[in-house]
Amino acid sequence: MKDFMLLLLFCHVASPVKHSLKFFFTTSSGVKNFPDFVAVGLVDEVLMGYCDSISKIPEAKQDWAKKLGDDDPQHLEWCTQQCLLNQYEYKADIDILKQQLNQTEGVHIFQKMDGCEWDDETGEVNGFAQFGYDGEDFIAFDLKTLTWIAPKPQAVITKHKWDRDRANNEWYNYYLTQHCTELVKKYLDYGKSSLLRTELPSVFLLQKTPYSPVSCHATGFYPHRAEMFWRKDGEELHEDVEHGEILPNHDGSFQMSVDLNLSSVTPEDWRRYECVFHLSGAKNDIVTKLDKAVIRTNWVSPSEFPAGPVIGGVVGLLLLLAVCITGVFIWRRRDNGFRPANSSDSSSSDPSSVKDAALN
């Protein structure tokens, strides 16, 4: 989502800033031309490092992460070991699941996500560790009870076995509530020039046609902790409003949008509406008044189309269609009917440093 006219008006009370560290591990079976193991690490939703079963060597994706590896060879060595060890561990897990679910062939995906969120003002920490299989939740760790939650009947066997492994569950508790926070602080210290920066976006009002919703579009902001909404007469609107997701840009910044349906709004009432963008850590909000003069659109009135080129284009398309139909007719006669073509489908410790209990 992207940019336009901004009015910096009222102050917004600063909210606590939450930082996150997430590790994603993906093991696949039956996927051609793709690594059967991939692992990535993200700090505040920014890709920090990557490894897979083909290269077997972790790759830093940020300059500060490369410097961390240079300054701390033990951390780099740990990352290398995890890249090698985890692929064998999760390969065994997916084989166990396939056998447990009586799956002998086909494409199957086994995933794990773990990490934590840390509030730099209150110190509150929320840890998480969960597994998924074939796109659905399979089992997750409950920090309150130090037991596992099985949302699917197929995971009950695994739950009971993992619940009995108290040592491993205590380790998860330590990592997710304490050590993960230490890692977050370390990564933020090395990457503070980029991870702790604040960049306000450009904000635009966009509309496809005069009858379409008006989209308030913000792009180029950082960090991703932001919210945007429409309000009328100073009050936030909840009806006739559709919020989009926060999406990444290629340069590491983010974009988002929120649409307002104007079908029941009279032109005289437009001045009562405004779009508000709030970025966590920023002193001021960006307020954009609803004004037809500043709306960007690619829509062109039919009366503005040149008649000659349009008519010529239509005639050309009709001639091309006639040729195509004739060609198909001739082909069908020569081949004695249509036959469909064949097709084929073609630093420190982390939960992964302690081998998870067998799935079965």
Side-chain angles (χ1 to χ4, degrees):
M1 329 285 187
K2 308 241 173 197
D3 336 13
F4 194 47
M5 183 176 174
L6 18 132
L7 299 172
L8 291 149
L9 291 180
F10 65 96
C11 288
H12 198 289
V13 178
S15 58
V17 176
K18 291 185 178 181
H19 299 283
S20 64
L21 173 61
K22 299 177 183 178
F23 293 100
F24 293 87
F25 307 88
T26 301
T27 302
S28 60
S29 174
V31 181
K32 297 181 180 180
N33 303 318
F34 191 79
D36 54 21
F37 173 78
V38 173
V40 296
L42 293 87
V43 181
D44 285 355
E45 307 301 327
V46 175
L47 180 62
M48 172 184 62
Y50 168 93
C51 78
D52 61 40
S53 55
I54 296 178
S55 65
K56 304 183 187 303
I57 299 176
E59 178 183 354
K61 293 297 185 178
Q62 305 294 329
D63 291 340
W64 60 264
K66 295 177 182 178
K67 187 177 188 307
L68 172 59
D70 294 337
D71 294 346
D72 190 351
Q74 289 184 338
H75 181 77
L76 180 60
E77 176 61 24
W78 171 80
C79 292
T80 303
Q81 291 178 356
Q82 296 310 306
C83 185
L84 294 173
L85 295 176
N86 285 331
Q87 61 181 290
Y88 297 115
E89 177 181 345
Y90 296 131
K91 176 65 166 61
D93 285 341
I94 197 172
D95 289 341
I96 291 173
L97 274 176
K98 288 169 60 179
Q99 183 178 13
Q100 180 176 317
L101 301 176
N102 195 27
Q103 298 170 333
T104 58
E105 56 185 21
V107 174
H108 301 286
I109 306 294
F110 180 66
Q111 295 172 294
K112 177 186 178 183
M113 178 183 74
D114 60 51
C116 62
E117 288 186 342
W118 168 63
D119 190 313
D120 66 0
E121 291 190 3
T122 65
E124 180 184 1
V125 178
N126 293 313
F128 46 85
Q130 57 194 68
F131 293 79
Y133 186 65
D134 285 351
E136 297 183 353
D137 292 338
F138 185 75
I139 195 168
F141 189 60
D142 185 351
L143 269 172
K144 294 181 179 179
T145 62
L146 303 189
T147 59
W148 294 87
I149 301 172
K152 298 176 67 68
Q154 295 90 332
V156 173
I157 296 177
T158 302
K159 167 188 163 51
H160 291 323
K161 188 171 185 63
W162 287 10
D163 282 349
R164 292 193 295 268
D165 192 347
R166 295 185 179 180
N168 195 50
N169 295 340
E170 287 290 348
W171 188 89
Y172 264 100
N173 180 48
Y174 162 74
Y175 171 77
L176 297 176
T177 60
Q178 299 181 50
H179 194 65
C180 184
T181 306
E182 298 173 5
L183 289 177
V184 172
K185 294 177 181 179
K186 183 173 186 176
Y187 294 148
L188 290 175
D189 183 53
Y190 267 87
K192 56 187 174 185
S193 61
S194 60
L195 295 175
L196 300 182
R197 75 186 191 276
T198 299
E199 294 183 1
L200 293 174
S202 300
V203 180
F204 298 93
L205 296 183
L206 308 174
Q207 190 177 32
K208 292 182 180 179
T209 74
Y211 309 101
S212 302
V214 172
S215 177
C216 186
H217 188 69
T219 186
F221 61 87
Y222 189 92
H224 72 287
R225 296 178 294 275
E227 58 181 349
M228 190 160 61
F229 55 90
W230 283 97
R231 66 185 182 190
K232 176 184 178 183
D233 297 333
E235 296 292 332
E236 181 176 352
L237 290 173
H238 299 286
E239 296 183 357
D240 297 326
V241 172
E242 183 175 351
H243 294 269
E245 297 180 0
I246 296 179
L247 302 174
N249 290 323
H250 70 281
D251 61 358
S253 64
F254 297 91
Q255 59 171 285
M256 68 186 302
S257 67
V258 58
D259 295 346
L260 173 64
N261 188 336
L262 295 172
S263 59
S264 60
V265 179
T266 63
E268 295 77 17
D269 285 340
W270 275 41
R271 57 184 178 79
R272 302 169 62 186
Y273 293 80
E274 56 192 11
C275 172
V276 181
F277 174 88
H278 171 67
L279 181 66
S280 178
K283 294 182 179 181
N284 298 315
D285 289 342
I286 298 175
V287 181
T288 307
K289 292 286 187 180
L290 179 59
D291 184 350
K292 184 172 295 187
V294 301
I295 294 178
R296 294 188 174 188
T297 181
N298 292 327
W299 184 80
V300 179
S301 171
S303 62
E304 299 178 19
F305 277 106
V310 172
I311 295 175
V314 172
V315 173
L317 288 174
L318 291 175
L319 290 175
L320 179 60
L321 179 61
V323 172
C324 292
I325 293 175
T326 303
V328 170
F329 176 73
I330 294 174
W331 177 84
R332 286 173 58 92
R333 291 189 60 183
R334 290 178 177 176
D335 200 47
N336 292 323
F338 170 74
R339 293 182 299 179
N342 293 326
S343 61
S344 59
D345 294 328
S346 44
S347 93
S348 312
S349 55
D350 145 274
S352 56
S353 65
V354 173
K355 178 174 175 60
D356 295 308
L359 285 169
N360 193 337

